[in-house]
Amino acid sequence: MTDIDRRRRRRRLLLVLALLATVSGLVVLTARNELGTDRASAIAALLSVVAAAAAWEATGRASDTAEEARRTAEIVARIERDRWHAELTPQFKFTLTKEGDRAAKLLVHLAGPDALRHLDSVTVRIGDDDYDHTPTQQRLGYTNPIGPTPEQITAHVWGPFRLRPRINEADEHGRELTFPDLHVGRGRPLALDRTMPGAWMEGTTYDSWQQQYEGHPLRLLFTCCRGDETWQITRTVDNPDWRPAEPSST
């Protein structure tokens, strides 16, 4: 039940009580004759109470109608705004090109929609896989002096690629970068490196590490801004074979 419904119920209850009180008063006045000429004044007073209650109810109904109209207008405006926001969701296309066996170039192309025109800024973040990589000891509340710290686990990119650190404004871990002013129909090339096992992963080689992510896509999270509007978009890009190319036989 809404606030408007509750207010309506209260007003109707008070109106009914006012009517009942008036009827009871009229019955009493009719049954007693000793009031004489004061009876007319009393009856008029009782009827004025009913008139006041009815006027209060009418005013409340008008106020509720205006409130409902305002809320309906807000809902319609919000639906229209959400529809407009969805229609302007940035559309990206990607081209990933291997550059040797341990690097690649990712072209991020803003393909549309045309009505979007441009974005003020685009933040690209490399996503991790779906596993919890916190060591069992840490999950149980124990500290392993030779194990990774929570900060190391968070900073490490758990996937096949990372952004090339400190290139094109990428952070030191190759996790995230932001570039400004991307227009529809244009793109930005991003330098990528194959990820390496963490320094604490004794016995894990580059080959065994990359083999874990064989067939796993590169996960991307885009935060796109234009004016006061923000879109968050997740996309994946196929992960090419990490192995060195086989020499061709002649």
Side-chain angles (χ1 to χ4, degrees):
M1 181 181 295
T2 65
D3 291 339
I4 291 177
D5 291 332
R6 282 191 285 268
R7 289 199 299 269
R8 283 175 176 169
R9 290 188 64 177
R10 286 196 297 268
R11 288 199 308 270
R12 288 169 183 168
L13 177 59
L14 291 174
L15 181 59
V16 169
L17 291 175
L19 288 171
L20 290 175
T22 300
V23 171
S24 300
L26 290 174
V27 170
V28 171
L29 289 174
T30 302
R32 300 180 62 182
N33 297 320
E34 59 270 21
L35 292 177
T37 57
D38 293 337
R39 187 189 307 172
S41 299
I43 291 174
L46 290 171
L47 292 177
S48 68
V49 171
V50 176
W56 177 64
E57 165 64 13
T59 302
R61 279 202 308 271
S63 176
D64 289 346
T65 300
E67 176 70 11
E68 287 180 333
R70 183 187 65 79
R71 291 187 180 182
T72 300
E74 287 180 351
I75 292 171
V76 171
R78 185 167 59 250
I79 292 172
E80 185 64 20
R81 180 179 178 81
D82 290 345
R83 182 187 65 80
W84 175 84
H85 185 84
E87 288 179 350
L88 290 184
T89 299
Q91 301 167 4
F92 290 103
K93 291 184 179 179
F94 309 101
T95 303
L96 193 151
T97 306
K98 289 180 64 175
E99 296 185 337
D101 298 320
R102 298 197 178 191
K105 179 174 67 179
L106 177 67
L107 179 61
V108 178
H109 178 79
L110 181 59
D114 291 341
L116 178 64
R117 298 193 302 277
H118 74 97
L119 293 168
D120 295 334
S121 67
V122 179
T123 298
V124 184
R125 182 175 179 82
I126 304 296
D128 291 329
D129 60 27
D130 293 323
Y131 299 98
D132 181 1
H133 297 282
T134 305
T136 302
Q137 296 96 322
Q138 289 187 22
R139 287 200 296 269
L140 296 176
Y142 299 101
T143 300
N144 183 353
I146 62 173
T149 65
E151 291 76 18
Q152 285 177 308
I153 295 171
T154 300
H156 192 73
V157 177
W158 301 87
F161 283 101
R162 67 175 181 171
L163 297 164
R164 189 164 298 161
R166 300 186 179 89
I167 299 297
N168 297 327
E169 306 301 325
D171 62 30
E172 61 180 326
H173 305 296
R175 170 72 71 181
E176 183 176 288
L177 64 77
T178 299
F179 53 85
D181 197 27
L182 182 62
H183 288 257
V184 171
R186 303 300 300 272
R188 291 290 176 89
L190 305 180
L192 301 178
D193 290 328
R194 290 279 182 182
T195 53
M196 303 287 290
W200 66 89
M201 301 179 188
E202 295 183 2
T204 303
T205 64
Y206 166 78
D207 285 358
S208 63
W209 170 260
Q210 281 295 325
Q211 192 171 11
Q212 294 180 40
Y213 291 103
E214 186 173 4
H216 288 239
L218 167 64
R219 292 182 170 184
L220 301 168
L221 170 63
F222 294 88
T223 302
C224 307
C225 299
R226 195 192 75 170
D228 295 331
E229 299 295 326
T230 300
W231 295 266
Q232 286 199 325
I233 304 166
T234 56
R235 295 291 183 266
T236 59
V237 180
D238 290 340
N239 173 20
D241 193 351
W242 56 276
R243 298 177 182 82
E246 294 288 342
S248 58
S249 58
T250 56

